[in-house]
């Protein structure tokens, strides 16, 4: 608990600097390009468009998906899932290498190493909100109207950020200690889209029950499904699924304990490993 408390105190104290670094990162990415930020959103928008053509248009009438009605519903379902997934994938990948790539520069500043992974997560938020706006536009085609359930968005957004940060404490530390870990981690992230319910509804009646229950343990599935159950048709309050909540927050707590412990134990030696 001592390590966890220290980590959160450092994060709160470093928050203004985290925001400035994130803003700087966003400004520098495509500074030399004429179209600037357009390229920041073009890649995920193109991938989402391709996935919609490959899966939504082809399977728009597939009744095995209990969460989407017709082609328009299928498009909105996939768009919302992919926007959330692309943000998490990019944040997980960049935050895992954040300490290794930035420690030489930030070690000269009065900046807590535990806050470095958060800078990458916050950097990705601008693109996420723009892409989320596109997903909301897709929801208009499903005639989804705002409701009190939409307040639940803030719960799942908070859960997503906390999960990403606790995971990044583990992965960013292990990447410094064992460089080969990062390559394996990126490979796993490429596969995770297919097992997180982004494209395939893992809770459809035609899906094997045992495999479905195993895949639902995935925190990415919990968050993606949570956003869908909040913003789309037939919304559900998050507290109705007590088991899923306990599993997700149990995983987050375990990651936080492990991440805080190994980060505090090894961070004074990060420069030696790098």
């Amino acid at each position: 608990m001592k390590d966890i408390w220290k980590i959160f105190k450092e994060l709160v104290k470093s928050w203004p600097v985290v925001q400035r670094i994130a803003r700087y990162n966003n400004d520098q990415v495509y500074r030399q390009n004429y179209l600037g930020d357009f390229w920041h959103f073009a890649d995920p928008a193109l991938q989402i468009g391709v996935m919609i053509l490959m899966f939504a248009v082809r399977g728009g009438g597939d009744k095995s998906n209990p969460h989407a009605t017709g082609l328009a519903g299928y498009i909105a379902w996939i768009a919302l899932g992919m926007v959330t997934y692309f943000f998490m994938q990019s944040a997980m990948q960049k935050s895992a290498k954040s300490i290794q790539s930035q420690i030489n520069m930030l070690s000269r500043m009065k900046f807590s190493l535990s806050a470095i992974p958060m800078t990458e997560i916050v950097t990705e938020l601008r693109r996420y909100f723009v892409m989320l706006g596109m997903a909301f536009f897709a929801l208009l085609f499903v005639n989804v109207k705002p409701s009190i359930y939409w307040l639940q968005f803030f719960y799942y957004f908070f859960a997503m950020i906390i999960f990403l940060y606790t995971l990044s404490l583990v992965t960013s530390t292990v990447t410094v200690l064992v460089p080969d870990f990062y390559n394996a981690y990126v490979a796993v992230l490429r596969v995770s889209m297919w097992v997180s319910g982004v494209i395939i509804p893992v809770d459809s009646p035609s899906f094997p029950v045992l495999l479905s229950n195993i895949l639902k343990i995935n925190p990415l599935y919990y968050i993606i499904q949570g956003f869908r159950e909040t913003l789309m048709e037939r919304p559900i309050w998050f507290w109705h699924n007590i088991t899923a909540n306990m599993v997700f927050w149990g995983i987050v707590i375990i990651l936080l304990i492990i991440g805080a412990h190994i980060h505090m134990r090894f961070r004074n030696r990060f420069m030696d490993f790098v």
Side-chain angles (χ1 to χ4, degrees), residues 46-187:
L46 178 62
Q47 292 188 57
I48 291 172
V50 170
M51 290 297 178
I52 287 175
L53 288 175
M54 290 178 61
F55 294 94
V57 174
R58 179 182 176 184
D62 187 1
K63 296 182 179 179
S64 65
N65 187 341
H67 307 287
T69 303
L71 176 59
Y74 217 83
I75 290 175
W77 185 84
I78 284 185
L80 186 57
M82 293 202 68
V83 165
T84 306
Y85 173 76
F86 275 128
F87 164 69
M88 288 195 291
Q89 182 197 44
S90 182
M92 287 188 292
Q93 186 170 329
K94 291 181 179 179
S95 63
K97 198 154 187 165
S98 58
I99 293 179
Q100 186 186 64
S101 61
Q102 299 184 46
I103 189 171
N104 288 325
M105 177 184 69
L106 295 177
S107 61
R108 305 186 189 99
M109 301 168 55
K110 291 183 178 181
F111 187 69
S112 300
L113 293 178
S114 60
I116 294 178
M118 182 59 82
T119 63
E120 297 295 347
I121 297 171
V122 176
T123 297
E124 292 300 307
L125 280 177
R126 184 167 72 174
R127 177 165 60 173
Y128 169 67
F129 285 132
V130 172
M131 300 303 295
L132 185 64
M134 296 180 184
F136 271 101
F137 183 74
L139 291 177
L140 295 178
F141 290 96
V142 198
N143 294 320
V144 175
K145 297 179 181 179
S147 69
I148 193 173
Y149 287 93
W150 283 28
L151 293 174
Q152 196 170 246
F153 171 87
F154 298 102
Y155 163 76
Y156 281 109
F157 180 78
F158 172 78
M160 177 173 65
I161 298 300
I162 291 296
F163 166 70
L164 290 174
Y165 179 67
T166 55
L167 177 65
S168 71
L169 275 178
V170 177
T171 57
S172 62
T173 302
V174 176
T175 297
V176 174
L177 303 179
V178 186
D180 287 345
F181 166 81
Y182 181 76
N183 294 326
Y185 182 61
V186 171

Side-chain angles (χ1 to χ4, degrees), residues 139-249:
L139 291 177
L140 295 178
F141 290 96
V142 198
N143 294 320
V144 175
K145 297 179 181 179
S147 69
I148 193 173
Y149 287 93
W150 283 28
L151 293 174
Q152 196 170 246
F153 171 87
F154 298 102
Y155 163 76
Y156 281 109
F157 180 78
F158 172 78
M160 177 173 65
I161 298 300
I162 291 296
F163 166 70
L164 290 174
Y165 179 67
T166 55
L167 177 65
S168 71
L169 275 178
V170 177
T171 57
S172 62
T173 302
V174 176
T175 297
V176 174
L177 303 179
V178 186
D180 287 345
F181 166 81
Y182 181 76
N183 294 326
Y185 182 61
V186 171
V188 171
L189 289 181
R190 292 196 188 102
V191 177
S192 63
M193 183 175 69
W194 305 100
V195 296
S196 301
V198 180
I199 302 297
I200 304 170
V202 301
D203 58 348
S204 71
S206 60
F207 215 81
V209 176
L210 179 59
L211 181 58
S212 175
N213 290 334
I214 293 174
L215 295 179
K216 287 179 181 179
I217 298 174
N218 184 351
L220 273 67
Y221 171 82
Y222 174 84
I223 295 169
I224 292 170
Q225 189 65 17
F227 280 123
R228 284 168 170 166
E229 290 177 348
T230 296
L231 301 173
M232 295 192 65
E233 296 176 311
R234 298 182 294 276
I236 302 172
W237 289 115
F238 71 90
W239 57 75
H240 286 174
N241 196 338
I242 297 176
T243 303
N245 294 330
M246 292 179 63
V247 170
F248 173 79
W249 288 109

